[in-house]
Amino acid sequence: MPVSYDFHGDEPFTTPFRDIKPEDIHVYLDLDTKVGKNTCGQKCTHCWFVNYEKVYDKSFAMEEGPLILAGLRSHGYHVYPRYVDSFAYGGEFMRIYGPANNREFRQEDDHKPTETMEKGDAWTSGRPLLGDDYLELLDLARESGYGTISITYHGVIDEDLRVVDDGSYPIKGVFSGADTEKVLRRIDEYNERHRAGLLSDAEPSDAFRVNIGVTIGRHNHGRESLERYARYFNGLGVDTVRFNSFSDHGGRHPGLQLSREETEQAYRDFKWLHENVELNFQLGVSEDFGTFGIRVMGFPGHVGWCRAGRQLFAVIPARETVLSESGGVRREKIGDIVGCVNTFEPHLGILVRTVSDGGRSTGYDLEFDHEGIEEFTARRLSGVYRDGCFARELSEELELVSRVPRRRRLPLVETTS
């Protein structure tokens, strides 16, 4: 199968933002960022929801989330409801939002959607499915229309294709690879019940696809390591294995981030893996590896040049503020629009709730900072940010700016006028 990639749009950077239609803009709506026992059951030391104060332990009101989602979609935006875990709060998000997808996965030059996108994509650490109510949660996912379960995998594989389970894994607070095996067995047994026709309302197509996400850093990169992952997951019956690049959110693991040279080698290794190892699953490569060395993959030219800040944004909860009130119409800021969906910078607009008709009518819309977006685009075009995934360069810049005394601090985004 062709290698899959992330898709956030392909509009040229030279296109003025005002000319980009809402239908070509993708929005991650961060409805709930709370980690812990009621959601993902973990507190990973590198998690972006843990390491950034502006999104730590935040949420929109449960009853308002669907209204925001519907309001933004009514304007034409592609909106992806995002929460820490699809099975959080006993599956409450599944009951509310139905078969949601967390992002877009595409393949080949014509941007064909992968099979992962055919039905809802349930994102999970795996921990909720290790509980005693896992059968009820899987039933709920199936009844809600989900076709894929995506599990974040953390573990190193030894030469005997076994998970190294000696406590040496460098990223703490994660769901272990050994426990992921248990969850995969539970999903496989559940699927077997459907294949055997043991549930009267089940069709064979109701069996869940499994998508595994593996974070690659200096602790597990290299051709030999990637080949071990491939052969290991070949034996577990998963449908997709998607590799993403480790990012040191919080600055706790600076020694794990790949260098530019290591990233270039990683792309060569992915290409070698795809051409030389028989894979029983579809190989996926995240756009967060950036563009250094990406040409070897043969992806469409825009892949790796993330459209964050132009065609991809995140909307995060913010303190509610009244912006204006006139003629019976009240405008309230309830959220912030940010560019990078993982580092939540730079700030590029606000989410506005409009209340009228004595409170009987409520609407939602995005108000973009057009000047800020164009300034940010200019920084990318001028080479201030050289990598297609600018998150690391942006984080380093923010860290540098934060060390400057406040009275001398320069603005993050330079004007181009």
Side-chain angles (χ1 to χ4, degrees):
M1 292 177 283
V3 182
S4 71
Y5 53 82
D6 301 352
F7 182 75
H8 301 137
D10 59 353
E11 192 70 41
F13 284 99
T14 53
T15 301
F17 178 71
R18 293 183 183 278
D19 293 343
I20 299 178
K21 300 177 182 178
E23 292 80 5
D24 294 322
I25 293 176
H26 300 241
V27 178
Y28 286 6
L29 180 60
D30 282 318
L31 293 159
D32 187 274
T33 69
K34 300 173 189 257
V35 303
K37 65 178 181 179
N38 293 323
T39 57
C40 60
Q42 307 299 135
K43 195 168 185 178
C44 307
T45 54
H46 71 308
C47 176
W48 55 71
F49 288 138
V50 170
N51 285 293
Y52 296 107
E53 183 179 355
K54 65 173 58 177
V55 291
Y56 179 69
D57 203 36
K58 298 287 197 311
S59 64
F60 290 106
M62 191 69 82
E63 65 274 10
E64 188 168 29
L67 301 178
I68 299 173
L69 178 66
L72 296 184
R73 284 179 171 170
S74 71
H75 296 293
Y77 300 111
H78 294 275
V79 186
Y80 307 92
R82 189 164 73 157
Y83 14 83
V84 172
D85 199 294
S86 297
F87 293 100
Y89 311 114
E92 187 64 21
F93 289 127
M94 288 186 173
R95 295 184 180 92
I96 294 175
Y97 296 101
N101 283 299
N102 283 277
R103 62 189 68 198
E104 290 273 359
F105 300 120
R106 302 290 182 92
Q107 63 187 41
E108 302 177 294
D109 289 338
D110 59 355
H111 308 153
K112 177 183 177 182
T114 67
E115 289 186 35
T116 302
M117 302 304 301
E118 290 181 359
K119 290 186 176 182
D121 177 19
W123 184 280
T124 182
S125 68
R127 174 66 65 181
L129 296 179
L130 206 58
D132 294 336
D133 61 344
Y134 77 96
L135 288 175
E136 289 84 352
L137 290 176
L138 290 174
D139 278 339
L140 176 61
R142 178 176 57 83
E143 293 162 2
S144 299
Y146 284 84
T148 299
I149 298 177
S150 292
I151 304 175
T152 303
Y153 183 88
H154 287 282
V156 174
I157 308 302
D158 66 20
E159 59 185 11
D160 296 318
L161 302 187
R162 295 174 183 170
V163 181
V164 177
D165 195 20
D166 58 4
S168 63
Y169 192 75
I171 309 173
K172 305 306 178 185
V174 300
F175 190 63
S176 73
D179 283 337
T180 301
E181 285 188 8
K182 299 175 185 177
V183 171
L184 291 176
R185 285 195 293 270
R186 287 187 169 190
I187 296 173
D188 188 57
E189 290 168 0
Y190 186 88
N191 283 341
E192 282 300 320
R193 294 173 63 194
H194 291 280
R195 297 187 186 102
L198 297 180
L199 294 183
S200 59
D201 63 337
E203 297 292 334
S205 60
D206 287 334
F208 290 114
R209 303 178 78 260
V210 174
N211 174 30
I212 295 290
V214 183
T215 298
I216 297 297
R218 285 183 172 168
H219 59 298
N220 62 350
H221 73 118
R223 185 168 298 183
E224 181 179 2
S225 177
L226 295 179
E227 184 177 1
R228 287 179 183 177
Y229 280 119
R231 299 193 185 283
Y232 171 74
F233 286 114
N234 268 347
L236 292 181
V238 303
D239 298 276
T240 305
V241 177
R242 174 179 174 269
F243 292 103
N244 69 280
S245 181
F246 175 81
S247 185
D248 186 30
H249 301 294
R252 304 188 187 193
H253 308 284
L256 296 186
Q257 291 190 135
L258 298 179
S259 66
R260 171 172 178 168
E261 293 74 21
E262 288 165 338
T263 297
E264 292 174 345
Q265 182 59 48
Y267 276 125
R268 291 192 289 270
D269 291 340
F270 292 138
K271 185 67 171 178
W272 178 89
L273 191 70
H274 188 244
E275 293 181 343
N276 293 279
V277 179
E278 184 175 352
L279 304 176
N280 299 334
F281 53 80
Q282 182 169 27
L283 174 65
V285 177
S286 170
E287 197 165 42
D288 62 14
F289 281 96
T291 46
F292 297 138
I294 196 173
R295 284 190 177 183
V296 69
M297 298 300 300
F299 288 145
H302 62 84
V303 178
W305 293 98
C306 182
R307 261 49 182 180
R310 286 177 52 79
Q311 289 183 269
L312 174 67
F313 300 89
V315 172
I316 59 179
R319 183 172 61 87
E320 296 186 6
T321 305
V322 176
L323 300 172
S324 64
E325 192 164 7
S326 176
V329 179
R330 186 172 71 253
R331 296 174 59 255
E332 304 164 330
K333 170 189 170 180
I334 63 172
D336 288 308
I337 303 171
V338 294
C340 178
V341 300
N342 292 346
T343 62
F344 309 102
E345 295 286 352
H347 184 274
L348 295 173
I350 59 176
L351 169 64
V352 175
R353 175 174 62 207
T354 302
V355 182
S356 59
D357 195 20
R360 290 184 291 273
S361 178
T362 305
Y364 301 88
D365 201 359
L366 303 177
E367 294 188 4
F368 291 102
D369 177 359
H370 289 256
E371 182 178 354
I373 291 171
E374 295 299 356
E375 289 173 348
F376 187 65
T377 300
R379 291 172 71 83
R380 300 188 69 183
L381 290 175
S382 66
V384 172
Y385 304 125
R386 300 178 60 200
D387 195 359
C389 177
F390 59 81
R392 184 170 177 176
E393 294 166 308
L394 176 61
S395 296
E396 292 171 350
E397 181 183 51
L398 290 170
E399 177 64 23
L400 181 63
V401 170
S402 70
R403 296 174 183 171
V404 178
R406 186 171 298 275
R407 67 176 182 272
R408 296 174 54 204
R409 187 171 298 176
L410 300 174
L412 171 61
V413 179
E414 301 172 359
T415 62
T416 56
S417 58

